[in-house]
């Protein structure tokens, strides 16, 4: 079959022939229709993600949409190594396949699934967001952050605060408060201090790095309630490490947790994705997409950016 194959993590996937899979007991052989590039897919293809097991060559992609042998449209995830979702066919455990809503097209579902799952798992599964609570989304201008805003609103958040580097995108999200993290450090600290004093219940952090340290410092100094403030760490686009003083945690009711592969089981992640896809129609969730042919994977990979989700359409 044809697939996006990673022979060398340093060079990324190329369009090539790869051994066609067979469905084992308990699996579906899914005919793939669409599969999207995501941060975790890129990280795995580069060999840098913690879930990469070192197997080479392998097919890129961890999830997508397709059709089972019985003709059912499904979202699927986590084909076993060395197969992936960016191929004509993928073997997938039956319990990792979810029926797609009739009103949700394959490309949108493939684009939305990974960032939507990330946002849903962080807000609903991990933080257990309650109606009326205040949510701060650190890094809201990317696909996952924008979906997190939509999901928080769908679940009745009382107030939504967003941070990011693109003021035009931030202002378009319909949030209650925006913090531009390209402002000077003093201005950022003052804005975060005021917001922390007003009360924040949940933080979903896609950036880590300096912005996370500024948020945690403001929360520690200015949070007056003793109710646990749930800080969910999801991504590290601004830096893998921060120097966090222990006093920040000792002096505040901050409950820190991660959300991702490992901190949640595959079953939990799939369940979160299924709930998000079903809610996407009722909630009117949207995501910007760019379609590409699988045979153009090398160029599309280089040109992919966070402004829209690149989706390979496989015929």
């Amino acid at each position: 079959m044809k697939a996006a194959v990673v022979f060398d993590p340093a060079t990324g996937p190329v369009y090539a022939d790869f051994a066609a899979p067979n469905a084992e007991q308990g699996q579906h052989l899914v005919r793939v229709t669409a599969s999207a590039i995501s941060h975790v897919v890129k990280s795995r293809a580069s060999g840098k993600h913690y879930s990469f097991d070192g197997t080479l060559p392998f097919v890129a992609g961890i999830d997508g949409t397709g059709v089972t042998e019985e003709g059912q449209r499904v979202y699927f995830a986590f084909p076993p190594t060395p197969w992936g979702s960016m191929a004509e066919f993928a073997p997938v455990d039956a319990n990792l396949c979810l029926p797609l809503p009739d009103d949700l097209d394959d490309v949108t579902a493939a684009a939305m699934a990974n960032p939507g799952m990330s946002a849903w798992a962080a807000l609903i599964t991990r933080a257990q967001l309650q109606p009326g609570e205040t949510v701060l989304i650190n890094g809201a201008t990317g696909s996952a952050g924008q979906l997190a805003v939509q999901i928080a609103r769908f679940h009745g958040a009382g107030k939504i605060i967003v941070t990011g580097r693109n003021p035009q995108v931030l202002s378009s999200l319909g949030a209650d408060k925006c913090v531009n993290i390209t402002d000077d450090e003093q201005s950022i600290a003052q804005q975060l201090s005021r917001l922390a004093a007003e009360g924040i219940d949940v933080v979903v952090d896609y950036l880590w790095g300096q912005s996370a340290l500024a948020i945690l410092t403001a929360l520690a100094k200015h949070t007056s309630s003793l109710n646990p403030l749930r800080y969910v760490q999801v991504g590290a686009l601004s830096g893998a490490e921060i120097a966090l003083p222990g006093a920040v945690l000792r002096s505040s009711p901050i409950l820190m947790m991660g959300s991702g592969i490992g901190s949640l089981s595959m079953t939990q992640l799939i369940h979160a994705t299924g709930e998000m896809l079903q809610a996407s129609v009722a909630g009117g969730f949207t995501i910007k997409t760019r379609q590409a042919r699988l045979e153009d994977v090398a160029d599309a990979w280089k040109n992919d950016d966070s402004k829209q989700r690149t989706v390979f359409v496989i015929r």
Side-chain angles (χ1 to χ4, degrees):
M1 67 176 180
K2 294 296 186 180
V5 184
V6 178
F7 294 98
D8 181 352
T11 58
V14 296
Y15 186 64
D17 290 312
F18 199 81
N22 295 309
E24 304 292 340
Q25 186 174 359
Q27 291 182 334
H28 287 304
L29 184 61
V30 177
R31 177 174 60 80
V32 184
T33 55
S35 181
I37 298 177
S38 64
H39 291 301
V40 70
V41 167
K42 279 185 166 180
S43 183
R44 282 172 62 92
S46 69
K48 297 177 181 178
H49 196 266
Y50 59 85
S51 65
F52 174 59
D53 66 4
T55 299
L56 288 170
F58 68 94
V59 177
I62 62 168
D63 66 347
T65 56
V67 181
T68 67
E69 309 94 317
E70 293 80 17
Q72 183 180 39
R73 293 176 60 241
V74 296
Y75 164 77
F76 68 91
F78 308 118
T81 304
W83 291 285
S85 59
M86 294 179 179
E88 293 179 293
F89 296 95
V92 187
D93 287 353
N95 61 356
L96 300 181
C97 293
L98 300 172
L100 287 175
D102 292 338
D103 294 333
L104 186 63
D105 67 90
D106 288 22
V107 170
T108 301
M112 191 178 291
N114 184 272
M117 173 272 291
S118 170
W120 191 282
L123 281 166
I124 311 306
T125 310
R126 296 294 274 163
Q128 298 183 13
L129 174 67
Q130 300 300 309
E133 291 190 316
T134 295
V135 178
L136 187 155
I137 299 166
N138 188 33
T141 58
S143 296
Q146 292 185 45
L147 279 167
V149 172
Q150 297 174 65
I151 291 168
R153 186 178 298 119
F154 178 74
H155 273 271
K159 181 178 179 180
I160 299 174
I161 304 163
V162 294
T163 75
R165 295 182 175 86
N166 189 320
Q168 287 76 29
V169 176
L170 284 176
S171 62
S172 72
L173 297 177
D176 298 285
K177 298 288 184 179
C178 301
V179 178
N180 185 345
I181 57 175
T182 63
D183 288 347
D184 63 87
E185 290 186 11
Q186 183 176 1
S187 174
I188 293 171
Q190 290 173 346
Q191 293 176 71
L192 292 173
S193 295
R194 286 196 298 270
L195 293 167
E198 292 171 3
I200 296 172
D201 300 292
V202 174
V203 177
V204 174
D205 175 23
Y206 292 100
L207 299 182
W208 205 230
Q210 190 60 37
S211 62
L213 183 58
I215 291 168
L216 286 163
T217 301
L219 292 171
K221 289 182 178 179
H222 301 284
T223 298
S224 57
S225 171
L226 292 180
N227 293 325
L229 185 157
R230 292 95 76 197
Y231 191 108
V232 187
Q233 212 294 307
V234 185
L237 294 177
S238 292
E241 299 179 356
I242 63 172
L244 181 65
V248 168
L249 299 181
R250 293 196 303 272
S251 63
S252 62
I254 298 174
L255 175 62
M256 296 194 70
M257 65 190 86
S259 183
I261 300 171
S263 56
L264 291 166
S265 68
M266 294 297 185
T267 300
Q268 288 176 306
L269 291 172
I270 288 294
H271 182 71
T273 308
E275 289 187 334
M276 184 278 303
L277 289 173
Q278 292 298 325
S280 66
V281 177
F285 301 163
T286 61
I287 188 168
K288 295 179 181 178
T289 61
R290 176 198 292 124
Q291 295 187 33
R293 301 182 305 169
L294 189 61
E295 50 263 46
D296 298 326
V297 60
D299 289 335
W301 202 266
K302 296 173 186 175
N303 296 326
D304 179 66
D305 58 41
S306 62
K307 295 179 181 178
Q308 50 192 342
R309 187 70 49 165
T310 300
V311 183
F312 294 108
V313 179
I314 303 159
R315 304 297 183 190

